[in-house]
Amino acid sequence: QVQLVESGGGLVQAGGSLRLSCAASRTISSINTMAWYRQAPGKQRELVALSTTGGMINYADSVKGRFTISRDNAKNTVYLQMNNLKAEDTAVYYCKAPGLSAWGQGTQVTVSS
């Protein structure tokens, strides 16, 4: 098991950028899959991006070319760099290690148009 704490959210204007961080309670180098999800008001939680130790990276179609997921194993941290933000990116963002972590409190991202 691993505990994850998200941070870095905030209020930003459309077209702006944010970098979310996900700090893990232990080493992430051995955790195969790390992922970012989001849940907008009134909508189901959706997968935004995932990264595997084998080098596979996947993005939701809605964020391709704008978001980048990365890992820093030395800091036990996973990042989500979000550029060219749009109003529809407004949501609570969650970090997850599928099968190894519970859902955290997430971090709120609000994009004003």
Side-chain angles (χ1 to χ4, degrees), residues 13-105:
Q13 289 187 335
S17 297
L18 283 173
R19 189 178 77 159
L20 305 183
S21 298
C22 171
S25 60
R26 65 169 179 85
T27 181
I28 62 171
S29 59
S30 60
I31 298 177
N32 181 57
T33 303
M34 296 294 299
W36 284 96
Y37 290 79
R38 69 185 180 187
Q39 187 167 20
K43 295 187 177 181
Q44 289 189 336
R45 194 169 294 175
E46 63 173 350
L47 177 65
V48 175
L50 67 83
S51 165
T52 72
T53 53
M56 182 178 73
I57 294 179
N58 284 336
Y59 297 100
D61 288 342
S62 58
V63 307
K64 282 180 181 177
R66 301 188 298 121
F67 289 13
T68 303
I69 186 172
S70 62
R71 298 184 181 212
D72 186 334
N73 290 337
K75 295 183 178 180
N76 296 332
T77 301
V78 180
Y79 300 101
L80 185 67
Q81 177 67 44
M82 307 187 296
N83 298 328
N84 190 23
L85 283 160
K86 304 176 180 180
E88 50 264 42
D89 295 319
T90 295
V92 179
Y93 284 72
Y94 302 88
C95 181
K96 194 81 160 68
L100 294 175
S101 71
W103 292 107
Q105 292 188 338

Side-chain angles (χ1 to χ4, degrees), residues 11-15 85-88 90 110-113:
L11 174 63
V12 63
Q13 289 187 335
L85 283 160
K86 304 176 180 180
E88 50 264 42
T90 295
T110 303
V111 184
S112 63
S113 57

